[in-house]
């Protein structure tokens, strides 16, 4: 595939791909188990864990916006990536070595929110590194690089299942997370080129915080981002509903849910790697609209096909749509802020959080009126509306 060949010949893209793989290992290890660790291992109440999670998510958003604006203003992106990696190492090592509730709270409220800004920063660096290649291949490159973040969710999680079943204490999740982020930090210390010595141009913007926020709040940016939020909410709706819907049918259990989710995640990767061709032929917004309609059908069909054997065809549909909406909208958002790559990364973080909040609101509203099936159909309509809305808006003009 063209994208893979280009990555294989470009050292900067290779480093970014490796960083995504390592950071994906961090996320795949931590995210599925953090609630279990907080409540069962460290003894937090459900309410206290929710408060810790909400505080961490809020700080993570402010950090992502601040880092994006600051790196655009100064052009010092390597140090920001080092800081995020170091925060991830510090948080994971603190919890693993201290093994006390206060360490868990400090890590998840303060250190991990800083560390999680690395995801948006990696997208920013990937976009800059891809800018030395022809415009028609750049979005395909970003999709292929993003696939590296998905790989650990297919590979690492089954390993954890085996390891934990063998009796390894759950606290070791933090030990492995510390090693993964320490490797990422080492990459940015020893291998990443110094700011100002890269093959791509990245001149500091000099913008103040107010000026940067004014650009982020421009009507064309807000309008495009709003459509992306509708599309991205589909992934959050799927994650909320899949277990509730499937286990609600006779003969379905948690094992079926695990197989279903694993199949979707595994199939997404080859579709991500094959994104370059369709993007060159049809363009970003048409591909996003197609992916959104496919994903809307996937979400909407879950309660219909759930009790039937044909439900096992749905992961193919979900993977095709998911491969699009997990990758291409990020490139679209960065195009909305083309002259400000750091702010583009901030916009990605902002839209992801907004999508989570929208999905939670739709779930609450739908379950108040009807059942999980109604929630799925409402979510499908919202996702489809976002995709169609983006198609009608067309390609984003450059900032």
């Amino acid at each position: 595939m063209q994208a893979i060949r280009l990555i294989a010949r470009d050292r900067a893209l290779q480093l970014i791909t490796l960083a995504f793989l390592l950071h994906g290992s961090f996320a795949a290890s931590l995210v599925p188990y953090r609630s279990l660790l907080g409540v069962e291992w460290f003894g937090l109440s459900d309410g206290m864990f929710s408060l810790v999670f909400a505080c961490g998510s809020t700080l993570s958003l402010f950090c992502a916006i601040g880092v994006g604006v600051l790196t655009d203003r100064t052009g010092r992106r390597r140090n920001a990536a080092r800081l995020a990696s170091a925060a991830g190492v510090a948080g994971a090592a603190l919890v693993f070595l201290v093994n006390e509730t206060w360490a868990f709270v400090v890590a998840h409220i303060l250190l991990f929110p800083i560390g999680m800004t690395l995801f948006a920063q990696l997208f920013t660096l990937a976009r800059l590194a891809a800018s030395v290649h022809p415009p028609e291949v750049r979005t395909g490159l970003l999709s292929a690089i993003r696939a590296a973040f998905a790989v650990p969710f297919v590979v690492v999680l089954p390993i954890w299942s085996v390891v934990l079943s063998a009796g390894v204490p759950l606290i070791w999740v933090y030990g492995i997370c510390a090693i993964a982020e320490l490797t990422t930090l080492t990459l940015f210390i020893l291998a990443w080129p110094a700011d100002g010595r890269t093959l791509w141009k990245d001149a500091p913007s000099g913008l103040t915080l107010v000026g940067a926020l004014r650009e982020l709040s421009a009507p064309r940016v807000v309008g495009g981002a709003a459509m992306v939020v509708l599309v991205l909410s589909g992934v959050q709706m799927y994650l909320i509903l899949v277990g509730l819907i499937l286990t609600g049918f006779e003969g379905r259990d948690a094992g079926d849910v695990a197989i279903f989710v694993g199949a979707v995640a595994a199939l997404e990767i080859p579709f991500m790697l094959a994104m370059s061709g369709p993007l060159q032929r049809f363009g970003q917004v048409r591909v996003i609209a197609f992916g959104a309609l496919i994903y809307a059908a996937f979400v909407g069909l879950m309660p219909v096909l759930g009790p039937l054997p044909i439900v096992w065809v749905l992961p193919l549909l979900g993977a095709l749509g998911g491969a699009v909406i997990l990758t291409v909208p990020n490139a679209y958002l960065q195009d909305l802020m083309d002259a400000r790559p750091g702010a583009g990364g901030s916009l990605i973080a902002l839209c992801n959080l907004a999508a989570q909040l929208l999905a939670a609101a739709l779930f609450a509203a739908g379950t108040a009126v009807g059942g999980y099936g109604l929630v799925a159909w409402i979510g499908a309509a919202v996702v489809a509306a976002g995709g169609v809305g983006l198609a009608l808006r067309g390609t984003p003009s450059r900032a």
Side-chain angles (χ1 to χ4, degrees):
M1 298 179 187
Q2 184 182 26
I4 295 177
R5 289 196 299 269
L6 290 173
I7 292 171
R9 297 197 298 262
D10 189 314
R11 178 171 171 76
L13 293 179
Q14 292 172 18
L15 293 173
I16 286 293
T17 303
L18 178 58
F20 262 119
L21 188 63
L22 292 166
H23 193 56
S25 299
F26 174 91
S29 297
L30 180 62
V31 172
Y33 297 112
R34 61 188 172 191
S35 58
L36 184 62
L37 280 156
V39 175
E40 298 293 334
W41 187 277
F42 290 107
L44 295 176
S45 66
D46 292 339
M48 183 58 69
F49 175 78
S50 297
L51 179 61
V52 169
F53 183 75
C55 290
S57 298
T58 302
L59 180 59
S60 181
L61 175 62
F62 284 113
C63 287
I65 293 173
V67 167
V69 170
L70 184 62
T71 52
D72 278 346
R73 182 180 182 183
T74 63
R76 299 177 65 86
R77 302 191 192 278
R78 185 173 66 162
N79 284 344
R82 289 173 174 176
L83 174 62
S85 301
V89 174
L94 176 68
V95 182
F96 179 66
L97 296 175
V98 175
N99 198 8
E100 296 285 350
T101 303
W102 68 264
F104 176 90
V105 172
V106 169
H108 284 267
I109 286 184
L110 179 61
L111 295 172
F112 287 150
I114 299 173
M116 286 301 184
T117 65
L118 185 62
F119 181 80
Q121 291 187 59
L122 290 177
F123 261 109
T124 299
L125 292 173
R127 177 180 175 80
L128 289 168
S131 67
V132 303
H133 296 280
E136 63 270 16
V137 304
R138 293 173 189 171
T139 304
L141 278 172
L142 295 179
S143 295
I145 292 170
R146 169 60 175 79
F149 186 81
V151 169
F153 287 85
V154 179
V155 177
V156 174
L157 283 176
I159 294 175
W160 272 119
S161 178
V162 173
V163 169
L164 295 174
S165 297
V168 173
L170 191 58
I171 193 67
W172 270 95
V173 164
Y174 289 102
I176 298 302
C177 285
I179 293 171
E181 287 297 80
L182 180 60
T183 308
T184 309
L185 176 60
T186 303
L187 184 154
F188 279 105
I189 290 175
L190 300 181
W192 190 256
D195 297 318
R197 297 183 181 179
T198 56
L199 296 178
W200 54 89
K201 295 181 180 179
D202 187 19
S205 69
L207 275 181
T208 63
L209 175 61
V210 173
L213 292 177
R214 186 179 295 117
E215 288 189 347
L216 277 170
S217 61
R220 64 172 191 83
V221 175
V222 173
M227 294 299 103
V228 169
V229 168
L230 298 184
V231 172
L232 293 179
S233 69
V235 177
Q236 303 302 323
M237 294 298 295
Y238 155 65
L239 294 174
I240 292 172
L241 290 172
V242 60
L244 297 171
I245 288 177
L246 292 184
T247 57
F249 296 113
E250 186 177 355
R252 302 277 184 224
D253 57 21
D256 293 302
V257 176
I259 295 172
F260 189 93
V261 173
V264 172
L267 291 169
E268 281 173 349
I269 296 172
F271 284 128
M272 288 179 182
L273 295 175
M275 203 71 67
S276 182
L279 283 166
Q280 290 184 50
R281 183 172 182 180
F282 300 108
Q284 279 183 3
V285 292
R286 290 182 180 179
V287 170
I288 295 174
F290 170 79
L293 292 175
I294 292 294
Y295 208 80
F298 164 64
V299 173
L301 286 172
M302 277 199 303
V304 178
L305 302 183
L308 306 175
I310 199 174
V311 73
W312 297 109
V313 176
L314 281 185
L316 185 63
L317 204 63
L320 177 58
V324 174
I325 66 178
L326 286 171
T327 58
V328 186
N330 292 324
Y332 175 88
L333 292 171
Q334 289 176 315
D335 280 351
L336 284 175
M337 302 297 300
D338 185 61
R340 308 284 182 257
S346 300
L347 194 59
I348 291 173
L350 180 61
C351 286
N352 282 324
L353 178 61
Q356 293 174 27
L357 296 175
L358 175 60
L362 292 175
F363 180 78
T367 51
V369 176
Y372 299 139
L374 177 61
V375 177
W377 297 328
I378 293 173
V382 169
V383 175
V388 172
L390 277 181
L392 293 176
R393 287 180 60 86
T395 303
S397 58
R398 296 297 194 254

